[in-house]
Amino acid sequence: MAIWASDNRNGHVREALTLLLSQGVIDDFRISPEDEFPFRIQVPAGIVPMTEHQAAHFALGAVTAHFGHLARDSEGTGTGF
């Protein structure tokens, strides 16, 4: 079972940013493929230009920060914490 609708990294990053947007973690994002930093992610501090690699790491960190407590606080996770 695949968790991604797309089959490439660019699509995966787009899907991750869409999740973050729908959850209110980021304010907006725009992708301009012709730019040196094609991913423009809007957060309360402003618009942050990123490469695909940077945006992928940003998304991972943002998801971990936003949803990590759910994994740690869930009963039956088997973590022992």
Side-chain angles (χ1 to χ4, degrees):
M1 181 173 117
I3 62 169
W4 302 108
S6 60
D7 62 354
N8 60 57
R9 184 169 186 182
N10 188 284
H12 296 170
V13 174
R14 181 185 307 263
E15 290 177 41
L17 293 175
T18 300
L19 167 76
L20 293 173
L21 179 62
S22 71
Q23 295 297 312
V25 177
I26 61 174
D27 295 333
D28 202 2
F29 73 93
R30 190 178 81 228
I31 303 172
S32 301
E34 67 281 351
D35 290 345
E36 180 181 357
F37 296 95
F39 290 84
R40 307 285 176 155
I41 301 169
Q42 186 174 343
V43 294
I47 297 174
V48 183
M50 298 182 192
T51 65
E52 181 181 285
H53 184 76
Q54 292 167 329
H57 284 274
F58 168 83
L60 177 61
V63 165
T64 302
H66 189 71
F67 295 108
H69 70 282
L70 295 175
R72 288 187 296 276
D73 293 341
S74 297
E75 290 185 30
T77 59
T79 61
F81 296 108

